[in-house]
Amino acid sequence: MSDLKDILNSNQPACVALQETHLKPKNSFRLHGYTVFRKDHPVNRASGGVALLISNNIPSSLLTLNTPFQAIAAQIFTHKLITVCSLYLPPNTQIDQTNLNNFMLQLPEPFVILGDLNGHSQIWGSDDTNSRGRQIEKLLHDHNLCLLNTDEITHFHTPTRTFHFIDLAICSPSLLPFFRLQTDPDLHNSDHFPIILTDNRHSHLHTVFSRFKYDLANWTKFTSTACITTTMVCDNPIDTAVNQITETLIAAAENSIPKTKNNFRRQRKVGWNSDCREAYKNQREAWGRFRRYPTSANLILYKQAKAYSRRIQRRSQRESWKRYVSSLNSTISSKKLWEKVKKASGIFTDHNINILYQNGIPVTSLQDIANCIASTLSQTSNSNTYPSSFQNHKKLAEKQKLNFKSNSYAPYNTDFTFHELKVCLSEVKKTSPGPDNISYQMIKHLSNSSLQNLLHLYNRIWHDHCFPSSWQQAIIIPIPKPGKDPSNPLNYRPIALTKCLCKLMEKMVNRGLVYYLEHNKILSPFQSGF
């Protein structure tokens, strides 16, 4: 796993095809930032097996293959929709040419197949051609496919100290002009060299939004610079006042709160320290000497360095695990305890982007996926979707006048007080900010004079019956419904991230209404849930 993380950190790939994963169905295999599609050995033993790792920033969809081979395929959208397949053909297994042909016909074009096919042919650099190689040659000819391999070796056979060309990259003709293949010179503790396939049409950019690091904030500096003045809230229209307050808080935050780097999220290697780095460096140097001078003595030195590096890494991982377990004691909170337990169990939340299908047509680009889900949610929540009987009942109910009398002196109509603002602010939780990126932590660290002026703005909004237009915006997060087909846009529920400045005012309004209803015993004693 450590070597796989090295490859991910170095190349930041959109997709990774793995063969010989040696996983059983009960084995967990997850990586931050990637969705794992896998097919284990059919006999349920730790042998063979294939997997695809697809970046969560890339729209993807798993394909169903009806084949006896160890193969898994998915469609991904980078520049265009492409089918990627990971295939493993064991060396001592009889391969039927008809099954190979049927397998190829199941892959939507354009496609690329990456795999350990264990075939030797002079076409891709081998000294001789075996029966598997001839089968692959026939496959390429019959289906008009292209071979991306050059003369770079892909496999090192340790017993014979020989190099081979058994890992192949096969693609549709339309992809040939855009793909370039090269191999990593480091084995990464395998006997296969990683093959790196580059699409020159598309540079895979990981969309990572920077966030404020509140644990490193200089709150004293923030409080002194985030000044909401009387002029802002009194001398401007409400929309202008809200915009000026937003700009002031964000400017203060930019100067006093560090932000995460807008970079690819690197895979963290547990227990990796300076001893591991030094041992691994020596291993790579020993491998480099053997590649230049492939003698028996240098091979022995490389194996020794490799064994020593593994021993150091395992020792470091054991020590790291002991320290981690020792931190689970009676002094930590239950929240921290469960966070550590989930972390140790490999439980984390990670969402991938699914390719959608609307009326049988694939929706692939990020913009189109967002618009498709938004359109579907809009149609679903439209009252025109209700049955006609309910619509008629709704119209009649809305025409009835409410028997409700109120006056400006009622408790729920009076001005908000500074005490109410402070109480509501103390009750808020650490929720995600809205489109303005202003969090509750920022509002809590405002000075009393700034909070007084913010309160004045709330009372202006309340008296003028003028809701700020910018507060009507929200970030909509579509969450797939559990157990439902994620390729269907109907199977998503929305979560709206509204602005914290707006939610704070809503909380004060709600607090006053709930108090009035409960104090006057207007709510039914049987009311529950909502």
Side-chain angles (χ1 to χ4, degrees):
M1 184 68 79
S2 176
D3 295 285
L4 177 59
K5 290 180 178 180
D6 278 335
I7 296 173
L8 296 179
N9 291 336
S10 300
N11 299 286
Q12 303 178 19
C15 180
V16 179
L18 301 177
Q19 298 85 42
E20 293 189 273
T21 53
H22 299 288
L23 293 172
K24 290 184 177 181
K26 65 179 181 181
N27 297 136
S28 175
F29 178 42
R30 298 187 67 190
L31 285 167
H32 279 287
Y34 285 87
T35 298
V36 179
F37 299 131
R38 53 188 264 202
K39 181 179 181 180
D40 301 327
H41 194 281
V43 194
N44 191 21
R45 58 190 177 95
S47 175
V50 291
L52 284 175
L53 278 59
I54 300 175
S55 170
N56 287 340
N57 298 318
I58 298 291
S60 62
S61 176
L62 180 65
L63 295 175
T64 301
L65 298 178
N66 183 18
T67 178
F69 303 134
Q70 296 182 49
I72 193 162
Q75 287 187 298
I76 65 172
F77 182 86
T78 52
H79 180 77
K80 286 188 175 181
L81 195 62
I82 299 174
T83 301
V84 181
C85 177
S86 179
L87 174 65
Y88 174 60
L89 301 179
N92 299 319
T93 303
Q94 191 71 25
I95 301 298
D96 184 71
Q97 194 73 27
T98 303
N99 288 336
L100 267 180
N101 292 330
N102 292 335
F103 166 71
M104 287 296 169
L105 295 174
Q106 295 180 55
L107 300 178
E109 292 190 4
F111 61 79
V112 57
I113 300 172
L114 303 165
D116 178 5
L117 307 188
N118 286 293
H120 298 269
S121 172
Q122 294 179 347
I123 292 178
W124 49 84
S126 301
D127 295 331
D128 58 354
T129 302
N130 63 2
S131 59
R132 178 72 57 80
R134 283 187 287 272
Q135 282 186 292
I136 298 171
E137 289 177 7
K138 180 173 174 54
L139 190 73
L140 295 173
H141 179 269
D142 292 347
H143 294 270
N144 191 29
L145 302 177
C146 299
L147 186 67
L148 293 167
N149 289 69
T150 57
D151 57 351
E152 296 189 65
I153 55 174
T154 66
H155 177 253
F156 173 58
H157 191 246
T158 307
T160 59
R161 289 187 296 174
T162 54
F163 296 91
H164 303 278
F165 308 81
I166 61 174
D167 302 291
L168 303 180
I170 300 170
C171 72
S172 301
S174 61
L175 297 179
L176 182 63
F178 309 110
F179 279 4
R180 181 174 63 88
L181 183 144
Q182 63 186 60
T183 58
D184 190 326
D186 190 0
L187 281 172
H188 293 278
N189 284 315
S190 173
D191 54 354
H192 293 263
F193 295 92
I195 291 178
I196 303 166
L197 204 60
T198 306
D199 186 343
N200 57 33
R201 300 170 301 173
H202 173 82
S203 177
H204 171 49
L205 299 177
H206 290 262
T207 308
V208 182
F209 296 100
S210 58
R211 300 183 180 185
F212 288 110
K213 300 166 71 172
Y214 295 109
D215 54 334
L216 300 177
N218 185 342
W219 289 117
T220 303
K221 184 178 180 181
F222 175 83
T223 303
S224 63
T225 54
C227 297
I228 301 176
T229 63
T230 305
T231 305
M232 284 184 192
V233 299
C234 295
D235 299 347
N236 294 303
I238 287 176
D239 278 342
T240 305
V242 169
N243 291 337
Q244 287 189 1
I245 289 173
T246 301
E247 292 171 1
T248 299
L249 296 189
I250 291 299
E254 294 282 354
N255 292 326
S256 56
I257 308 175
K259 298 178 78 173
T260 58
K261 293 182 179 179
N262 194 12
N263 295 334
F264 167 74
R265 179 178 179 175
R266 295 180 65 83
Q267 301 289 331
R268 182 174 173 270
K269 298 191 290 185
V270 178
W272 193 261
N273 55 25
S274 58
D275 292 339
C276 297
R277 281 191 294 271
E278 185 64 27
Y280 189 61
K281 177 184 175 183
N282 294 335
Q283 176 187 335
R284 295 186 67 176
E285 290 176 352
W287 170 251
R289 283 193 299 269
F290 173 73
R291 285 296 305 272
R292 292 190 299 271
Y293 310 105
T295 64
S296 298
N298 284 340
L299 179 61
I300 291 172
L301 289 175
Y302 164 67
K303 288 183 176 180
Q304 289 175 343
K306 180 179 178 180
Y308 179 74
S309 178
R310 283 186 173 180
R311 187 163 63 250
I312 292 296
Q313 290 182 43
R314 288 170 180 168
R315 185 185 68 187
S316 176
Q317 289 172 355
R318 284 195 300 269
E319 292 173 353
S320 175
W321 175 249
K322 288 178 182 178
R323 288 193 300 270
Y324 191 84
V325 173
S326 299
S327 66
L328 303 176
N329 51 49
S330 58
T331 61
I332 66 172
S333 64
S334 58
K335 179 182 177 181
K336 287 288 184 183
L337 172 65
W338 284 111
E339 285 178 357
K340 286 179 173 288
V341 169
K342 288 181 179 179
K343 191 175 180 180
S345 304
I347 301 174
F348 58 86
T349 303
D350 230 354
H351 298 291
N352 65 313
I353 303 172
N354 279 92
I355 293 172
L356 303 180
Y357 287 88
Q358 192 171 39
N359 300 323
I361 301 173
V363 182
T364 54
S365 72
L366 294 176
Q367 185 68 49
D368 290 343
I369 289 172
N371 290 337
C372 179
I373 293 179
S375 175
T376 303
L377 292 175
S378 175
Q379 293 173 10
T380 304
S381 58
N382 195 317
S383 59
N384 292 331
T385 60
Y386 299 150
S388 57
S389 58
F390 181 80
Q391 291 187 40
N392 295 331
H393 172 75
K394 179 173 177 289
K395 290 177 181 178
L396 291 174
E398 289 172 346
K399 289 180 181 179
Q400 295 178 4
K401 292 184 178 181
L402 295 176
N403 183 19
F404 179 75
K405 295 181 180 180
S406 180
N407 58 71
S408 58
Y409 301 104
Y412 48 81
N413 285 330
T414 57
D415 286 353
F416 302 115
T417 66
F418 190 70
H419 174 70
E420 287 178 303
L421 176 63
K422 296 289 283 187
V423 169
C424 290
L425 200 52
S426 67
E427 294 175 349
V428 296
K429 299 179 181 180
K430 292 182 180 180
T431 57
S432 299
D436 58 2
N437 209 22
I438 293 176
S439 66
Y440 282 130
Q441 288 98 313
M442 296 180 190
I443 303 174
K444 284 182 176 181
H445 285 88
L446 291 173
S447 63
N448 282 339
S449 61
S450 291
L451 286 175
Q452 289 281 8
N453 288 324
L454 179 61
L455 177 65
H456 184 75
L457 175 66
Y458 285 151
N459 284 319
R460 272 194 68 191
I461 295 170
W462 188 245
H463 283 296
D464 296 352
H465 304 160
C466 178
F467 192 77
S469 57
S470 63
W471 285 3
Q472 299 175 30
Q473 300 173 355
I475 298 174
I476 306 299
I477 311 284
I479 305 297
K481 297 177 181 178
K484 301 285 187 177
D485 179 12
S487 66
N488 187 342
L490 289 169
N491 294 332
Y492 287 83
R493 60 183 180 86
I495 290 180
L497 301 181
T498 54
K499 300 182 179 183
C500 291
L501 287 171
C502 174
K503 289 190 289 186
L504 183 57
M505 181 176 178
E506 291 173 349
K507 192 172 183 64
M508 289 194 293
V509 174
N510 181 71
R511 187 173 181 272
L513 291 175
V514 170
Y515 171 78
Y516 183 84
L517 293 171
E518 291 181 345
H519 182 73
N520 292 280
K521 299 182 180 179
I522 296 176
L523 289 178
S524 168
F526 302 106
Q527 175 73 29
S528 63
F530 303 97

